[in-house]
Amino acid sequence: MLELPFDPPVQKIDLPEFNRQGVQVFIKREDTIHPFISGNKWRKLKYVLREARQLNKTHLVSFGGAYSNHLVALACAGAMFGFRTSAFVRGEEVNNVTLGLCKTWGMQLQFVSREDYRHKQELFDAHYGNNTNVLMIDEGGRGTLAMQGCAEILNEVKGFTHVCCAVGTGTTLAGLAISAAEKGMVAEGFCVLKNAEGIAEDVQQLLHHQTPFFMHHRFYFGGYGKADEGILQFISSFASSTGILLDQVYTAKMMLGIRTLIEEGYYQEGSKILAIHTGGLTGLLSQW
Ligand SMILES: *Cc1c(COP(=O)(O)O)cnc(C)c1O
């Protein structure tokens, strides 16, 4: 149970704008792991689901916004592996592709006000406090077990100087940083939230301040969930010249960030960059 059928392939990005200043860029296609438990969400859930089994939990309860890729992944994985799933969803009741998929896999959704959502533990305790069958999973699946799963993204990888990923909670970056340090690579995160310098501290805490990483804070393009015309155009030109779909919330911002940094001469000649495609394509489908 819960093993990946294959290690996702690494592909070169053969575009002139990613091949200048003596730099080369490759992309690890974690998005190909599964259509809906895609990218880092599978990596993040792997050990959490194992723990749920070991503790004989039958019902997984989590939290997220109305566009949460984590909830889609959890709903699908729950159905596949025989767990009941429920989620507290932030904000007023809405219908969209993300939540429609969650419901299709049998996830029970409960919409809660932004104010109530801020107090997650209280919410959980009020609804499930006495229920020993239930395992609470934090927003975005964040945490130490999730970080351990993300460290495995680099298991088979060698020969790169840098590994790059988009940053939401920073859990994926923390996992990559652990493996990158062992392999002599630099781990760089591209934060997709505005004014979110505090996330670097969350990452440091997960890593017990022992492992180096770097986080860029310039490439949020308007802020979390915002996508201007430039981002959408970039997604379209990237897709039409490589065949690879990026999502507007995370991966397109990372790739644009990398492209900008190469343009600016940030990476030394000879750098070999591995960008992680963390999936998230439900977000792209949700916007039309
Ligand atoms: C959730 C998500 C991220 C963010 O991962 P964190 O571990 O929370 O930083 C990045 N990319 C995609 C596509 C995601 O769905």
Side-chain angles (χ1 to χ4, degrees), residues 194-241:
K194 187 176 172 178
N195 298 331
E197 277 72 11
I199 293 174
E201 276 159 46
D202 298 344
V203 176
Q204 268 167 4
Q205 263 181 24
L206 265 173
L207 293 167
H208 301 295
H209 298 264
Q210 283 165 5
T211 312
F213 67 90
F214 187 79
M215 204 183 300
H216 297 281
H217 289 284
R218 291 164 53 200
F219 303 108
Y220 53 81
F221 298 96
Y224 186 69
K226 305 249 163 55
D228 61 15
E229 265 314 298
I231 295 277
L232 298 177
Q233 259 169 29
F234 174 68
I235 290 173
S236 176
S237 79
F238 193 84
S240 51
S241 52

mmCIF file of all heavy atoms in Angstrom, residues 194-241:
data_model
loop_
_atom_site.group_PDB
_atom_site.id
_atom_site.type_symbol
_atom_site.label_atom_id
_atom_site.label_comp_id
_atom_site.label_asym_id
_atom_site.label_seq_id
_atom_site.Cartn_x
_atom_site.Cartn_y
_atom_site.Cartn_z
ATOM 1 N N LYS A 194 1.940 36.977 -0.637
ATOM 2 C CA LYS A 194 2.485 38.320 -0.466
ATOM 3 C C LYS A 194 2.725 38.582 1.025
ATOM 4 O O LYS A 194 1.938 38.111 1.856
ATOM 5 C CB LYS A 194 1.445 39.304 -1.013
ATOM 6 C CG LYS A 194 1.875 40.728 -1.088
ATOM 7 C CD LYS A 194 0.747 41.512 -1.736
ATOM 8 C CE LYS A 194 1.018 42.988 -1.678
ATOM 9 N NZ LYS A 194 -0.054 43.736 -2.355
ATOM 10 N N ASN A 195 3.741 39.330 1.338
ATOM 11 C CA ASN A 195 4.059 39.659 2.736
ATOM 12 C C ASN A 195 4.082 38.428 3.627
ATOM 13 O O ASN A 195 3.463 38.399 4.679
ATOM 14 C CB ASN A 195 3.027 40.641 3.319
ATOM 15 C CG ASN A 195 3.018 41.947 2.576
ATOM 16 O OD1 ASN A 195 4.034 42.357 2.020
ATOM 17 N ND2 ASN A 195 1.876 42.615 2.538
ATOM 18 N N ALA A 196 4.748 37.418 3.189
ATOM 19 C CA ALA A 196 4.724 36.150 3.932
ATOM 20 C C ALA A 196 6.126 35.741 4.345
ATOM 21 O O ALA A 196 6.470 34.559 4.322
ATOM 22 C CB ALA A 196 4.056 35.071 3.088
ATOM 23 N N GLU A 197 6.928 36.711 4.732
ATOM 24 C CA GLU A 197 8.312 36.425 5.128
ATOM 25 C C GLU A 197 8.352 35.442 6.298
ATOM 26 O O GLU A 197 9.315 34.695 6.465
ATOM 27 C CB GLU A 197 9.050 37.720 5.493
ATOM 28 C CG GLU A 197 9.618 38.484 4.301
ATOM 29 C CD GLU A 197 8.538 39.158 3.445
ATOM 30 O OE1 GLU A 197 7.373 39.206 3.879
ATOM 31 O OE2 GLU A 197 8.869 39.618 2.328
ATOM 32 N N GLY A 198 7.280 35.429 7.112
ATOM 33 C CA GLY A 198 7.216 34.536 8.276
ATOM 34 C C GLY A 198 7.285 33.063 7.925
ATOM 35 O O GLY A 198 7.636 32.238 8.774
ATOM 36 N N ILE A 199 6.947 32.715 6.681
ATOM 37 C CA ILE A 199 6.963 31.299 6.303
ATOM 38 C C ILE A 199 8.378 30.727 6.392
ATOM 39 O O ILE A 199 8.562 29.555 6.700
ATOM 40 C CB ILE A 199 6.353 31.108 4.898
ATOM 41 C CG1 ILE A 199 4.869 31.438 4.970
ATOM 42 C CG2 ILE A 199 6.547 29.682 4.394
ATOM 43 C CD1 ILE A 199 4.166 31.446 3.642
ATOM 44 N N ALA A 200 9.373 31.567 6.157
ATOM 45 C CA ALA A 200 10.757 31.091 6.284
ATOM 46 C C ALA A 200 11.017 30.594 7.711
ATOM 47 O O ALA A 200 11.735 29.607 7.910
ATOM 48 C CB ALA A 200 11.737 32.198 5.904
ATOM 49 N N GLU A 201 10.400 31.247 8.690
ATOM 50 C CA GLU A 201 10.567 30.791 10.079
ATOM 51 C C GLU A 201 9.898 29.441 10.306
ATOM 52 O O GLU A 201 10.424 28.582 11.022
ATOM 53 C CB GLU A 201 9.980 31.812 11.061
ATOM 54 C CG GLU A 201 10.933 32.924 11.391
ATOM 55 C CD GLU A 201 10.196 34.140 11.928
ATOM 56 O OE1 GLU A 201 9.316 33.964 12.805
ATOM 57 O OE2 GLU A 201 10.487 35.260 11.454
ATOM 58 N N ASP A 202 8.720 29.256 9.681
ATOM 59 C CA ASP A 202 8.052 27.950 9.791
ATOM 60 C C ASP A 202 8.955 26.855 9.251
ATOM 61 O O ASP A 202 9.057 25.769 9.825
ATOM 62 C CB ASP A 202 6.741 27.928 8.979
ATOM 63 C CG ASP A 202 5.738 28.943 9.490
ATOM 64 O OD1 ASP A 202 5.913 29.441 10.614
ATOM 65 O OD2 ASP A 202 4.768 29.225 8.743
ATOM 66 N N VAL A 203 9.607 27.153 8.122
ATOM 67 C CA VAL A 203 10.489 26.148 7.513
ATOM 68 C C VAL A 203 11.670 25.868 8.445
ATOM 69 O O VAL A 203 12.037 24.709 8.676
ATOM 70 C CB VAL A 203 10.978 26.618 6.124
ATOM 71 C CG1 VAL A 203 11.973 25.631 5.526
ATOM 72 C CG2 VAL A 203 9.792 26.810 5.177
ATOM 73 N N GLN A 204 12.239 26.934 8.999
ATOM 74 C CA GLN A 204 13.361 26.756 9.928
ATOM 75 C C GLN A 204 12.969 25.893 11.117
ATOM 76 O O GLN A 204 13.738 25.043 11.565
ATOM 77 C CB GLN A 204 13.839 28.116 10.437
ATOM 78 C CG GLN A 204 14.946 28.673 9.584
ATOM 79 C CD GLN A 204 15.196 30.137 9.877
ATOM 80 O OE1 GLN A 204 14.582 30.725 10.778
ATOM 81 N NE2 GLN A 204 16.081 30.734 9.124
ATOM 82 N N GLN A 205 11.756 26.110 11.609
ATOM 83 C CA GLN A 205 11.293 25.320 12.754
ATOM 84 C C GLN A 205 11.150 23.854 12.393
ATOM 85 O O GLN A 205 11.569 22.974 13.152
ATOM 86 C CB GLN A 205 9.941 25.848 13.221
ATOM 87 C CG GLN A 205 10.076 26.807 14.380
ATOM 88 C CD GLN A 205 8.730 27.306 14.842
ATOM 89 O OE1 GLN A 205 7.705 26.655 14.630
ATOM 90 N NE2 GLN A 205 8.718 28.469 15.444
ATOM 91 N N LEU A 206 10.568 23.600 11.224
ATOM 92 C CA LEU A 206 10.426 22.204 10.786
ATOM 93 C C LEU A 206 11.796 21.534 10.704
ATOM 94 O O LEU A 206 11.942 20.349 10.992
ATOM 95 C CB LEU A 206 9.778 22.164 9.399
ATOM 96 C CG LEU A 206 8.271 21.980 9.302
ATOM 97 C CD1 LEU A 206 7.824 22.143 7.860
ATOM 98 C CD2 LEU A 206 7.842 20.622 9.840
ATOM 99 N N LEU A 207 12.792 22.327 10.290
ATOM 100 C CA LEU A 207 14.143 21.792 10.096
ATOM 101 C C LEU A 207 15.010 21.900 11.349
ATOM 102 O O LEU A 207 16.192 21.597 11.301
ATOM 103 C CB LEU A 207 14.827 22.546 8.946
ATOM 104 C CG LEU A 207 14.228 22.336 7.560
ATOM 105 C CD1 LEU A 207 14.781 23.352 6.573
ATOM 106 C CD2 LEU A 207 14.495 20.923 7.076
ATOM 107 N N HIS A 208 14.422 22.349 12.459
ATOM 108 C CA HIS A 208 15.179 22.565 13.698
ATOM 109 C C HIS A 208 16.423 23.430 13.461
ATOM 110 O O HIS A 208 17.472 23.188 14.067
ATOM 111 C CB HIS A 208 15.583 21.231 14.335
ATOM 112 C CG HIS A 208 14.407 20.371 14.663
ATOM 113 N ND1 HIS A 208 13.461 20.714 15.592
ATOM 114 C CD2 HIS A 208 13.989 19.183 14.137
ATOM 115 C CE1 HIS A 208 12.527 19.781 15.638
ATOM 116 N NE2 HIS A 208 12.816 18.852 14.761
ATOM 117 N N HIS A 209 16.303 24.383 12.556
ATOM 118 C CA HIS A 209 17.383 25.357 12.306
ATOM 119 C C HIS A 209 18.695 24.707 11.890
ATOM 120 O O HIS A 209 19.757 25.267 12.082
ATOM 121 C CB HIS A 209 17.612 26.241 13.545
ATOM 122 C CG HIS A 209 16.420 27.058 13.899
ATOM 123 N ND1 HIS A 209 16.260 28.357 13.510
ATOM 124 C CD2 HIS A 209 15.293 26.747 14.570
ATOM 125 C CE1 HIS A 209 15.107 28.814 13.941
ATOM 126 N NE2 HIS A 209 14.491 27.857 14.593
ATOM 127 N N GLN A 210 18.637 23.487 11.344
ATOM 128 C CA GLN A 210 19.896 22.799 11.060
ATOM 129 C C GLN A 210 20.251 22.760 9.590
ATOM 130 O O GLN A 210 21.386 22.511 9.238
ATOM 131 C CB GLN A 210 19.819 21.356 11.588
ATOM 132 C CG GLN A 210 19.994 21.295 13.092
ATOM 133 C CD GLN A 210 19.564 19.956 13.660
ATOM 134 O OE1 GLN A 210 19.227 19.032 12.923
ATOM 135 N NE2 GLN A 210 19.591 19.869 14.965
ATOM 136 N N THR A 211 19.265 22.966 8.742
ATOM 137 C CA THR A 211 19.478 22.701 7.321
ATOM 138 C C THR A 211 19.293 23.983 6.524
ATOM 139 O O THR A 211 18.309 24.679 6.715
ATOM 140 C CB THR A 211 18.467 21.635 6.840
ATOM 141 O OG1 THR A 211 18.493 20.553 7.764
ATOM 142 C CG2 THR A 211 18.796 21.143 5.456
ATOM 143 N N PRO A 212 20.245 24.296 5.637
ATOM 144 C CA PRO A 212 20.128 25.543 4.885
ATOM 145 C C PRO A 212 19.082 25.462 3.771
ATOM 146 O O PRO A 212 18.823 24.385 3.219
ATOM 147 C CB PRO A 212 21.519 25.721 4.280
ATOM 148 C CG PRO A 212 22.103 24.351 4.222
ATOM 149 C CD PRO A 212 21.493 23.570 5.343
ATOM 150 N N PHE A 213 18.479 26.599 3.471
ATOM 151 C CA PHE A 213 17.583 26.741 2.322
ATOM 152 C C PHE A 213 17.501 28.225 2.019
ATOM 153 O O PHE A 213 17.941 29.055 2.824
ATOM 154 C CB PHE A 213 16.188 26.180 2.629
ATOM 155 C CG PHE A 213 15.449 26.980 3.668
ATOM 156 C CD1 PHE A 213 14.630 28.050 3.321
ATOM 157 C CD2 PHE A 213 15.613 26.680 5.023
ATOM 158 C CE1 PHE A 213 13.978 28.794 4.285
ATOM 159 C CE2 PHE A 213 14.966 27.432 6.001
ATOM 160 C CZ PHE A 213 14.144 28.485 5.627
ATOM 161 N N PHE A 214 16.934 28.563 0.875
ATOM 162 C CA PHE A 214 16.731 29.973 0.555
ATOM 163 C C PHE A 214 15.311 30.173 0.047
ATOM 164 O O PHE A 214 14.793 29.316 -0.664
ATOM 165 C CB PHE A 214 17.738 30.443 -0.502
ATOM 166 C CG PHE A 214 17.665 31.925 -0.717
ATOM 167 C CD1 PHE A 214 18.273 32.805 0.165
ATOM 168 C CD2 PHE A 214 16.926 32.441 -1.775
ATOM 169 C CE1 PHE A 214 18.172 34.171 -0.009
ATOM 170 C CE2 PHE A 214 16.816 33.810 -1.953
ATOM 171 C CZ PHE A 214 17.449 34.677 -1.066
ATOM 172 N N MET A 215 14.683 31.275 0.430
ATOM 173 C CA MET A 215 13.332 31.538 -0.054
ATOM 174 C C MET A 215 13.253 32.893 -0.746
ATOM 175 O O MET A 215 13.684 33.905 -0.179
ATOM 176 C CB MET A 215 12.330 31.483 1.093
ATOM 177 C CG MET A 215 10.925 31.168 0.588
ATOM 178 S SD MET A 215 9.660 31.162 1.852
ATOM 179 C CE MET A 215 10.224 29.902 2.948
ATOM 180 N N HIS A 216 12.740 32.895 -1.976
ATOM 181 C CA HIS A 216 12.506 34.137 -2.707
ATOM 182 C C HIS A 216 11.117 34.681 -2.356
ATOM 183 O O HIS A 216 10.156 33.919 -2.324
ATOM 184 C CB HIS A 216 12.575 33.889 -4.217
ATOM 185 C CG HIS A 216 13.922 33.421 -4.681
ATOM 186 N ND1 HIS A 216 14.981 34.276 -4.869
ATOM 187 C CD2 HIS A 216 14.378 32.178 -4.975
ATOM 188 C CE1 HIS A 216 16.036 33.571 -5.282
ATOM 189 N NE2 HIS A 216 15.703 32.304 -5.344
ATOM 190 N N HIS A 217 11.057 35.985 -2.136
ATOM 191 C CA HIS A 217 9.767 36.594 -1.784
ATOM 192 C C HIS A 217 9.295 37.612 -2.809
ATOM 193 O O HIS A 217 8.415 38.407 -2.528
ATOM 194 C CB HIS A 217 9.866 37.251 -0.403
ATOM 195 C CG HIS A 217 9.951 36.260 0.714
ATOM 196 N ND1 HIS A 217 8.858 35.557 1.171
ATOM 197 C CD2 HIS A 217 11.002 35.826 1.447
ATOM 198 C CE1 HIS A 217 9.231 34.755 2.145
ATOM 199 N NE2 HIS A 217 10.528 34.894 2.332
ATOM 200 N N ARG A 218 9.900 37.599 -4.010
ATOM 201 C CA ARG A 218 9.535 38.620 -5.004
ATOM 202 C C ARG A 218 8.508 38.137 -6.005
ATOM 203 O O ARG A 218 8.010 38.918 -6.799
ATOM 204 C CB ARG A 218 10.785 38.986 -5.830
ATOM 205 C CG ARG A 218 11.844 39.731 -5.100
ATOM 206 C CD ARG A 218 13.158 39.670 -5.887
ATOM 207 N NE ARG A 218 12.980 40.108 -7.265
ATOM 208 C CZ ARG A 218 13.819 39.819 -8.270
ATOM 209 N NH1 ARG A 218 14.889 39.086 -8.045
ATOM 210 N NH2 ARG A 218 13.591 40.251 -9.483
ATOM 211 N N PHE A 219 8.250 36.845 -6.021
ATOM 212 C CA PHE A 219 7.508 36.291 -7.167
ATOM 213 C C PHE A 219 6.092 35.842 -6.787
ATOM 214 O O PHE A 219 5.647 34.780 -7.178
ATOM 215 C CB PHE A 219 8.311 35.148 -7.790
ATOM 216 C CG PHE A 219 9.684 35.581 -8.217
ATOM 217 C CD1 PHE A 219 10.807 35.176 -7.526
ATOM 218 C CD2 PHE A 219 9.840 36.458 -9.292
ATOM 219 C CE1 PHE A 219 12.075 35.605 -7.897
ATOM 220 C CE2 PHE A 219 11.101 36.889 -9.675
ATOM 221 C CZ PHE A 219 12.224 36.472 -8.975
ATOM 222 N N TYR A 220 5.395 36.696 -6.043
ATOM 223 C CA TYR A 220 4.021 36.334 -5.649
ATOM 224 C C TYR A 220 2.992 36.844 -6.646
ATOM 225 O O TYR A 220 1.839 36.445 -6.621
ATOM 226 C CB TYR A 220 3.720 36.843 -4.232
ATOM 227 C CG TYR A 220 3.987 38.315 -4.049
ATOM 228 C CD1 TYR A 220 3.062 39.278 -4.454
ATOM 229 C CD2 TYR A 220 5.171 38.749 -3.458
ATOM 230 C CE1 TYR A 220 3.306 40.633 -4.287
ATOM 231 C CE2 TYR A 220 5.439 40.097 -3.295
ATOM 232 C CZ TYR A 220 4.499 41.031 -3.706
ATOM 233 O OH TYR A 220 4.755 42.368 -3.554
ATOM 234 N N PHE A 221 3.403 37.733 -7.555
ATOM 235 C CA PHE A 221 2.529 38.209 -8.634
ATOM 236 C C PHE A 221 1.120 38.549 -8.144
ATOM 237 O O PHE A 221 0.137 37.934 -8.562
ATOM 238 C CB PHE A 221 2.449 37.170 -9.757
ATOM 239 C CG PHE A 221 3.773 36.903 -10.403
ATOM 240 C CD1 PHE A 221 4.552 35.828 -10.001
ATOM 241 C CD2 PHE A 221 4.259 37.749 -11.393
ATOM 242 C CE1 PHE A 221 5.791 35.594 -10.580
ATOM 243 C CE2 PHE A 221 5.502 37.523 -11.985
ATOM 244 C CZ PHE A 221 6.263 36.439 -11.573
ATOM 245 N N GLY A 222 1.019 39.524 -7.245
ATOM 246 C CA GLY A 222 -0.306 39.965 -6.798
ATOM 247 C C GLY A 222 -0.769 39.289 -5.527
ATOM 248 O O GLY A 222 -1.584 39.837 -4.798
ATOM 249 N N GLY A 223 -0.246 38.094 -5.226
ATOM 250 C CA GLY A 223 -0.601 37.423 -3.981
ATOM 251 C C GLY A 223 -1.252 36.077 -4.205
ATOM 252 O O GLY A 223 -1.481 35.664 -5.338
ATOM 253 N N TYR A 224 -1.558 35.414 -3.101
ATOM 254 C CA TYR A 224 -2.037 34.035 -3.157
ATOM 255 C C TYR A 224 -3.344 33.912 -3.952
ATOM 256 O O TYR A 224 -4.308 34.623 -3.695
ATOM 257 C CB TYR A 224 -2.251 33.492 -1.752
ATOM 258 C CG TYR A 224 -2.596 32.027 -1.762
ATOM 259 C CD1 TYR A 224 -1.649 31.083 -2.130
ATOM 260 C CD2 TYR A 224 -3.874 31.592 -1.437
ATOM 261 C CE1 TYR A 224 -1.956 29.742 -2.165
ATOM 262 C CE2 TYR A 224 -4.194 30.242 -1.470
ATOM 263 C CZ TYR A 224 -3.230 29.331 -1.836
ATOM 264 O OH TYR A 224 -3.545 27.998 -1.883
ATOM 265 N N GLY A 225 -3.329 33.030 -4.920
ATOM 266 C CA GLY A 225 -4.542 32.786 -5.710
ATOM 267 C C GLY A 225 -4.795 33.832 -6.774
ATOM 268 O O GLY A 225 -5.691 33.684 -7.595
ATOM 269 N N LYS A 226 -4.020 34.902 -6.796
ATOM 270 C CA LYS A 226 -4.197 35.937 -7.819
ATOM 271 C C LYS A 226 -3.377 35.555 -9.058
ATOM 272 O O LYS A 226 -2.274 35.044 -8.942
ATOM 273 C CB LYS A 226 -3.686 37.286 -7.298
ATOM 274 C CG LYS A 226 -4.322 37.712 -5.991
ATOM 275 C CD LYS A 226 -5.220 38.917 -6.207
ATOM 276 C CE LYS A 226 -6.185 39.133 -5.063
ATOM 277 N NZ LYS A 226 -5.555 39.248 -3.741
ATOM 278 N N ALA A 227 -3.951 35.826 -10.215
ATOM 279 C CA ALA A 227 -3.214 35.544 -11.445
ATOM 280 C C ALA A 227 -3.530 36.643 -12.449
ATOM 281 O O ALA A 227 -4.677 36.805 -12.862
ATOM 282 C CB ALA A 227 -3.605 34.189 -12.009
ATOM 283 N N ASP A 228 -2.527 37.431 -12.797
ATOM 284 C CA ASP A 228 -2.772 38.495 -13.777
ATOM 285 C C ASP A 228 -2.610 37.951 -15.194
ATOM 286 O O ASP A 228 -2.275 36.783 -15.390
ATOM 287 C CB ASP A 228 -1.860 39.699 -13.496
ATOM 288 C CG ASP A 228 -0.387 39.323 -13.590
ATOM 289 O OD1 ASP A 228 -0.077 38.247 -14.144
ATOM 290 O OD2 ASP A 228 0.446 40.104 -13.115
ATOM 291 N N GLU A 229 -2.840 38.807 -16.179
ATOM 292 C CA GLU A 229 -2.731 38.396 -17.584
ATOM 293 C C GLU A 229 -1.350 37.827 -17.894
ATOM 294 O O GLU A 229 -1.218 36.879 -18.658
ATOM 295 C CB GLU A 229 -3.000 39.598 -18.501
ATOM 296 C CG GLU A 229 -4.432 39.693 -18.989
ATOM 297 C CD GLU A 229 -4.989 38.364 -19.500
ATOM 298 O OE1 GLU A 229 -4.426 37.840 -20.481
ATOM 299 O OE2 GLU A 229 -5.938 37.846 -18.912
ATOM 300 N N GLY A 230 -0.321 38.416 -17.295
ATOM 301 C CA GLY A 230 1.046 37.965 -17.555
ATOM 302 C C GLY A 230 1.226 36.502 -17.192
ATOM 303 O O GLY A 230 1.846 35.729 -17.937
ATOM 304 N N ILE A 231 0.682 36.098 -16.041
ATOM 305 C CA ILE A 231 0.797 34.700 -15.598
ATOM 306 C C ILE A 231 0.051 33.790 -16.572
ATOM 307 O O ILE A 231 0.563 32.749 -16.991
ATOM 308 C CB ILE A 231 0.172 34.526 -14.185
ATOM 309 C CG1 ILE A 231 0.945 35.318 -13.151
ATOM 310 C CG2 ILE A 231 0.089 33.048 -13.810
ATOM 311 C CD1 ILE A 231 2.153 34.624 -12.619
ATOM 312 N N LEU A 232 -1.156 34.196 -16.940
ATOM 313 C CA LEU A 232 -1.964 33.329 -17.810
ATOM 314 C C LEU A 232 -1.313 33.196 -19.182
ATOM 315 O O LEU A 232 -1.304 32.116 -19.781
ATOM 316 C CB LEU A 232 -3.394 33.866 -17.903
ATOM 317 C CG LEU A 232 -4.129 33.901 -16.539
ATOM 318 C CD1 LEU A 232 -5.522 34.503 -16.674
ATOM 319 C CD2 LEU A 232 -4.193 32.515 -15.902
ATOM 320 N N GLN A 233 -0.725 34.300 -19.656
ATOM 321 C CA GLN A 233 -0.021 34.243 -20.940
ATOM 322 C C GLN A 233 1.206 33.337 -20.862
ATOM 323 O O GLN A 233 1.495 32.593 -21.791
ATOM 324 C CB GLN A 233 0.432 35.638 -21.343
ATOM 325 C CG GLN A 233 -0.477 36.268 -22.376
ATOM 326 C CD GLN A 233 -0.153 37.741 -22.546
ATOM 327 O OE1 GLN A 233 0.993 38.149 -22.343
ATOM 328 N NE2 GLN A 233 -1.163 38.527 -22.898
ATOM 329 N N PHE A 234 1.903 33.441 -19.751
ATOM 330 C CA PHE A 234 3.087 32.595 -19.566
ATOM 331 C C PHE A 234 2.683 31.115 -19.557
ATOM 332 O O PHE A 234 3.332 30.276 -20.196
ATOM 333 C CB PHE A 234 3.815 32.958 -18.264
ATOM 334 C CG PHE A 234 4.954 32.037 -17.936
ATOM 335 C CD1 PHE A 234 6.105 32.019 -18.714
ATOM 336 C CD2 PHE A 234 4.870 31.165 -16.859
ATOM 337 C CE1 PHE A 234 7.159 31.154 -18.428
ATOM 338 C CE2 PHE A 234 5.914 30.295 -16.560
ATOM 339 C CZ PHE A 234 7.056 30.291 -17.347
ATOM 340 N N ILE A 235 1.596 30.790 -18.851
ATOM 341 C CA ILE A 235 1.121 29.397 -18.807
ATOM 342 C C ILE A 235 0.848 28.909 -20.225
ATOM 343 O O ILE A 235 1.232 27.798 -20.606
ATOM 344 C CB ILE A 235 -0.150 29.279 -17.929
ATOM 345 C CG1 ILE A 235 0.217 29.482 -16.459
ATOM 346 C CG2 ILE A 235 -0.846 27.932 -18.136
ATOM 347 C CD1 ILE A 235 -0.972 29.558 -15.515
ATOM 348 N N SER A 236 0.207 29.774 -21.016
ATOM 349 C CA SER A 236 -0.156 29.384 -22.368
ATOM 350 C C SER A 236 1.079 29.214 -23.247
ATOM 351 O O SER A 236 1.206 28.231 -23.992
ATOM 352 C CB SER A 236 -1.110 30.438 -22.937
ATOM 353 O OG SER A 236 -1.390 30.128 -24.260
ATOM 354 N N SER A 237 2.034 30.149 -23.155
ATOM 355 C CA SER A 237 3.210 30.023 -24.021
ATOM 356 C C SER A 237 4.076 28.846 -23.579
ATOM 357 O O SER A 237 4.616 28.111 -24.406
ATOM 358 C CB SER A 237 4.006 31.333 -24.081
ATOM 359 O OG SER A 237 4.794 31.471 -22.932
ATOM 360 N N PHE A 238 4.171 28.604 -22.286
ATOM 361 C CA PHE A 238 4.949 27.466 -21.781
ATOM 362 C C PHE A 238 4.301 26.157 -22.211
ATOM 363 O O PHE A 238 4.981 25.227 -22.669
ATOM 364 C CB PHE A 238 5.051 27.536 -20.251
ATOM 365 C CG PHE A 238 6.067 26.609 -19.655
ATOM 366 C CD1 PHE A 238 7.404 26.977 -19.582
ATOM 367 C CD2 PHE A 238 5.690 25.369 -19.157
ATOM 368 C CE1 PHE A 238 8.352 26.115 -19.024
ATOM 369 C CE2 PHE A 238 6.633 24.504 -18.600
ATOM 370 C CZ PHE A 238 7.963 24.886 -18.537
ATOM 371 N N ALA A 239 2.980 26.086 -22.096
ATOM 372 C CA ALA A 239 2.261 24.862 -22.467
ATOM 373 C C ALA A 239 2.394 24.606 -23.966
ATOM 374 O O ALA A 239 2.635 23.481 -24.399
ATOM 375 C CB ALA A 239 0.787 24.963 -22.075
ATOM 376 N N SER A 240 2.280 25.661 -24.764
ATOM 377 C CA SER A 240 2.278 25.422 -26.202
ATOM 378 C C SER A 240 3.681 25.120 -26.725
ATOM 379 O O SER A 240 3.824 24.500 -27.771
ATOM 380 C CB SER A 240 1.628 26.590 -26.957
ATOM 381 O OG SER A 240 2.187 27.800 -26.567
ATOM 382 N N SER A 241 4.731 25.510 -25.981
ATOM 383 C CA SER A 241 6.072 25.191 -26.475
ATOM 384 C C SER A 241 6.706 23.981 -25.800
ATOM 385 O O SER A 241 7.727 23.481 -26.271
ATOM 386 C CB SER A 241 6.990 26.417 -26.358
ATOM 387 O OG SER A 241 6.935 26.926 -25.055
#
